[in-house]
Amino acid sequence: MANALIVLAAGRGTRMQSDMPKVLHEIAGAPLLIHALESARGLEAAHTVVVTGHGAEAVEAAALAHDETVICVRQQEQRGTGHAVQQAAEALADHDGPAFVLYGDTPFVTAETLAKMAEALEGASVAVLGFEAEDPGKYGRLVTEGDRLLKIVEWKDASEEERAITLCNSGVLAADSGLLFDLLAEVTDDNAAGEFYLTDVPGLVNERGLVTQVVRCDEAETLGVNSRADLARASAFFQTRARTQAMETGAQLEAPETVYFAHDTVLGRDCTVEPNVVFGPGVTVETGARIRAFSHLEGCHVSRGAIVGPYARLRPGAELSEDVRVGNFVEIKAAEIGEGAKVNHLSYVGDAAIGAGTNVGAGTITCNYDGANKFRTEIGDNVFVGSDTQLVAPVRVGAGATIAAGTTVWKDVADGMLVLNDKTQTARAGYVRPVKKKS
């Protein structure tokens, strides 16, 4: 039976003290909303509805950029979580199957937990996600009988006995779509806040003689982001989890606590990452590659056996073939580096293709920008590029060519040619260096 996903992303997030909608604040290079959508990917939802409100246009643009099949609906007035879910009713009118309600500011619910909720719906009408809180504070409490949920009690309405309960409500809920919207139609705003609460649903389920089952998860999965401090804690949690997963799948992190991942970093087995490496979005590092200390990578692909750094920067579009060497203080952008090629020292290679086996000397620059447009440099296989060379694009250097040190190349070079700029070297005898005057 097909699933539907409803992600609530309408809140203002006043505690963030930001002009930007809360769900667009980023962890590891991706907005909170995208983390929430990705966490539910395992549901293979036939319909995904994002409920927007504050900053709706920006939130909708982010959601659709991530997945163009997302349906965006707006909650014009923020009147509670139950009211927010109701805004998805029309979009899911023809859906026959479970609907899962997640939150755009709660990014870490796992696929395994959502699978348990789906399994719980086989024997219950509604599944509610709960967690054992280390410090229950003012969370809503789940009053249970075994795995059956009897009611959700808000802290302010709870008795002393109920406040002693440590099983707390995450807000995440799943139910048959038709039943969910039927129940929400019965929810009232007869409360101090004058809002329609999703937490009223389990009570209505029990009144009908149906069953609500509790599914338990680790507290960290329910971490919500409501402030800058929460965002920092969530970022730290993400990094810890990403480092652990990378090592569990075979990557070697020499100082894990100093390596920073993006939301989509992929590391192959037996690759090594030295200390103080930062991965931006869109990086894949294959088996056996080594990323040396203090390097920064984003939007790039590093093939087997390649060595990058230390102190290297790979920018979007950098494609390193097998056994490439990219050394210290080298920057590569929108360039393909062929198998076994070396760019070892103090060079900039941008908008270029470097052939297999080519050696690029220290201080080489591909001059790709004329102040308005970018142009491409193409260097063939087994070329030797001497130190302090400038290649003024668009230009092509043929296979096996040699570029002498200190040369400016602005015309195409045929295969096998030696290229140099003629210079005169003058020597003078008897020259005395100036000395610093004494004060």
Side-chain angles (χ1 to χ4, degrees):
M1 188 176 294
N3 295 313
L5 176 65
I6 303 169
V7 180
L8 306 188
R12 181 176 296 273
T14 54
R15 289 170 55 195
M16 295 294 290
Q17 296 295 319
S18 174
D19 295 329
M20 185 166 59
K22 176 171 65 171
V23 296
L24 295 187
H25 285 267
E26 292 189 350
I27 292 175
L32 294 169
L33 173 62
I34 304 310
H35 283 276
L37 290 168
E38 281 297 302
S39 73
R41 181 176 290 276
L43 291 175
E44 299 181 345
H47 310 282
T48 297
V49 181
V50 176
V51 182
T52 67
H54 177 66
E57 290 185 3
V59 175
E60 289 164 3
L64 291 168
H66 177 70
D67 182 353
E68 62 184 11
T69 68
V70 165
I71 304 165
C72 295
V73 299
R74 294 191 183 182
Q75 185 187 21
Q76 300 294 354
E77 295 180 82
Q78 274 70 66
R79 301 191 61 194
T81 51
H83 181 258
V85 175
Q86 282 182 308
Q87 308 313 301
E90 184 176 346
L92 297 179
D94 296 328
H95 175 67
D96 180 20
F100 291 73
V101 180
L102 273 68
Y103 297 81
D105 61 359
T106 305
F108 298 134
V109 178
T110 65
E112 293 76 14
T113 292
L114 294 175
K116 290 178 183 177
M117 294 186 72
E119 184 178 344
L121 288 180
E122 295 176 6
S125 298
V126 175
V128 168
L129 185 61
F131 62 96
E132 291 287 345
E134 184 175 341
D135 178 13
K138 295 187 178 181
Y139 286 117
R141 305 302 204 266
L142 301 184
V143 181
T144 61
E145 188 177 86
D147 285 335
R148 181 171 181 172
L149 178 64
L150 302 180
K151 61 180 178 178
I152 300 175
V153 183
E154 296 302 329
W155 182 86
K156 62 181 181 298
D157 299 321
S159 66
E160 288 302 316
E161 183 180 359
E162 289 167 337
R163 288 182 181 180
I165 295 171
T166 57
L167 183 61
C168 297
N169 181 34
S170 72
V172 175
L173 176 148
D176 175 78
S177 179
L179 174 63
L180 177 62
F181 292 116
D182 283 348
L183 293 168
L184 287 172
E186 299 178 19
V187 172
T188 71
D189 61 354
D190 184 18
N191 52 60
E195 295 185 344
F196 298 88
Y197 290 131
L198 187 63
T199 51
D200 289 348
V201 165
L204 296 172
V205 170
N206 289 330
E207 288 178 12
R208 293 192 180 192
L210 303 174
V211 174
T212 298
Q213 184 169 326
V214 173
V215 174
R216 292 166 171 81
C217 71
D218 187 83
E219 183 175 4
E221 291 187 45
T222 69
L223 178 62
V225 176
N226 296 298
S227 66
R228 300 283 184 171
D230 289 344
L231 186 65
R233 282 191 290 271
S235 294
F237 172 77
F238 174 88
Q239 294 299 334
T240 299
R241 188 167 74 175
R243 294 161 186 154
T244 300
Q245 289 174 343
M247 290 185 288
E248 286 177 347
T249 54
Q252 179 64 40
L253 308 185
E254 294 186 349
E257 68 282 0
T258 70
V259 177
Y260 286 84
F261 287 78
H263 65 102
D264 58 354
T265 305
V266 177
L267 300 183
R269 293 179 67 180
D270 297 318
C271 73
T272 299
V273 182
E274 295 182 6
N276 298 294
V277 170
V278 176
F279 294 105
V283 176
T284 298
V285 179
E286 291 192 13
T287 295
R290 175 179 285 267
I291 311 301
R292 302 193 65 191
F294 293 97
S295 295
H296 188 288
L297 295 77
E298 58 182 317
C300 62
H301 176 243
V302 179
S303 295
R304 288 171 176 261
I307 299 176
V308 176
Y311 295 97
R313 185 180 182 197
L314 301 186
R315 292 173 56 194
E319 178 75 30
L320 275 55
S321 301
E322 294 186 5
D323 300 317
V324 161
R325 300 293 185 268
V326 172
N328 47 288
F329 304 106
V330 171
E331 179 176 339
I332 296 179
K333 187 269 294 185
E336 303 87 48
I337 313 299
E339 184 175 349
K342 298 177 182 179
V343 190
N344 269 331
H345 318 283
L346 302 156
S347 296
Y348 171 72
V349 177
D351 297 284
I354 309 296
T358 286
N359 185 88
V360 177
T364 297
I365 301 171
T366 57
C367 306
N368 57 339
Y369 185 51
D370 67 359
N373 301 292
K374 296 288 182 70
F375 297 93
R376 190 165 173 82
T377 297
E378 295 186 6
I379 300 176
D381 295 346
N382 299 309
V383 172
F384 180 86
V385 181
S387 298
D388 193 30
T389 294
Q390 299 85 45
L391 298 118
V392 183
V395 70
R396 182 185 181 281
V397 177
T402 299
I403 313 297
T407 299
T408 299
V409 181
W410 64 87
K411 296 180 181 179
D412 287 355
V413 178
D415 292 357
M417 297 298 289
L418 168 65
V419 179
L420 68 161
N421 297 152
D422 291 328
K423 296 181 176 71
T424 300
Q425 180 172 304
T426 301
R428 297 177 182 175
Y431 174 72
V432 178
R433 293 181 185 174
V435 295
K436 186 174 182 179
K437 294 180 181 180
K438 295 182 180 180
S439 58

